[in-house]
Amino acid sequence: GQQLNQSPQSMFIQEGEDVSMNCTSSSIFNTWLWYKQDPGEGPVLLIALYKAGELTSNGRLTAQFGITRKDSFLNISASIPSDVGIYFCAGRPTGTASKLTFGTGTRLQVTL
Amino acid sequence: NAGVTQTPKFQVLKTGQSMTLQCAQDMNHEYMSWYRQDPGMGLRLIHYSVGAGITDQGEVPNGYNVSRSTTEDFPLRLLSAAPSQTSVYFCASSFPGRGRIGELFFGEGSRLTVL
């Protein structure tokens, strides 16, 4: 099946630092999305991207749809303790109208 | 608003037993899907449905059945549980008609252990 490589797998950061994570695919995607999962809960959508080159912000979060359509990036500015959780990228490959592929996740832990 | 409701939240089965995970949404979403989440493997699509009466297989469908008799409900059946099906299962829904197939609303998950 489709593979999405997400990195880093985990990271510890100081409160107030900026965070960057990315996701790459071996094939072209039509849609890129970023989700966050808190412990014991289901993922929640953060940002959705629909055009190559698109840059979208949601508060302190900014995500970009890569120009090659094979990657996407998520940045978190000025991290706070509630940013702790697992961040997943997800994408819809070209030719798959109804299937979404998820990355393996980036576990973010913030130290005070 | 209830959103996507999954039951049960926890379940322990013995190998060979069957059971059904229930999923209901009250948002009139056409698209519904089931994922399983395993450590280090992210979320993998089991089955999905684009509307009542229509279902299709995802990435890991073996050992699972689904049906979609109403817009609101999308149950997932384990036919003969195996230890490899120990996982956390998530139901998710969205409006595919708007081109937003990926804007999923997830339930809180059902944690299944097969002994």
Side-chain angles (χ1 to χ4, degrees):
Chain A
Q2 191 64 241
Q3 293 289 327
L4 282 184
N5 298 312
Q6 190 171 346
S7 64
Q9 290 185 351
S10 65
M11 54 195 315
F12 284 88
I13 61 171
Q14 294 279 347
E15 183 177 0
E17 287 184 349
D18 296 343
V19 175
S20 292
M21 59 189 78
N22 68 80
C23 202
T24 59
S25 168
S26 56
S27 57
I28 293 174
F29 276 39
N30 286 331
T31 304
W32 283 99
L33 308 107
W34 287 91
Y35 285 83
K36 183 195 177 195
Q37 185 179 29
D38 292 326
E41 298 184 10
V44 174
L45 180 66
L46 299 173
I47 294 176
L49 303 158
Y50 295 99
K51 292 182 180 179
E54 182 179 355
L55 185 71
T56 298
S57 293
N58 178 6
R60 294 179 294 106
L61 279 61
T62 301
Q64 185 164 23
F65 192 139
I67 293 176
T68 65
R69 297 171 66 188
K70 292 184 177 182
D71 56 9
S72 181
F73 306 87
L74 176 69
N75 294 319
I76 305 173
S77 63
S79 57
I80 59 178
S82 62
D83 289 335
V84 164
I86 303 176
Y87 292 79
F88 289 101
C89 64
R92 185 167 65 85
T94 303
T96 59
S98 302
K99 296 182 181 180
L100 201 63
T101 300
F102 279 80
T104 52
T106 294
R107 183 180 296 274
L108 182 63
Q109 294 173 268
V110 178
T111 58
L112 297 176
Chain B
N1 293 332
V4 178
T5 302
Q6 291 183 232
T7 56
K9 287 186 168 40
F10 300 93
Q11 183 72 49
V12 178
L13 291 177
K14 294 182 179 179
T15 297
Q17 287 185 317
S18 63
M19 76 157 299
T20 299
L21 299 177
Q22 302 290 345
C23 176
Q25 52 90 10
D26 61 358
M27 298 173 283
N28 201 29
H29 284 172
E30 297 173 7
Y31 181 90
M32 296 186 74
S33 56
W34 277 101
Y35 287 85
R36 60 176 289 173
Q37 183 175 27
D38 302 295
M41 300 189 73
L43 292 130
R44 291 182 293 169
L45 181 64
I46 304 172
H47 284 286
Y48 66 95
S49 168
V50 298
I54 305 170
T55 63
D56 207 343
Q57 295 181 350
E59 180 185 357
V60 288
N62 292 340
Y64 307 95
N65 272 356
V66 292
S67 60
R68 185 90 180 272
S69 57
T70 68
T71 299
E72 294 78 19
D73 301 299
F74 191 45
L76 178 72
R77 298 182 186 84
L78 280 70
L79 308 174
S80 177
S84 61
Q85 294 179 304
T86 294
S87 187
V88 181
Y89 291 85
F90 287 99
C91 180
S93 68
S94 74
F95 283 110
R98 298 180 184 178
R100 296 179 179 172
I101 192 71
E103 295 184 19
L104 296 170
F105 290 80
F106 282 85
E108 293 187 341
S110 297
R111 184 176 296 275
L112 175 68
T113 300
V114 183
L115 303 175

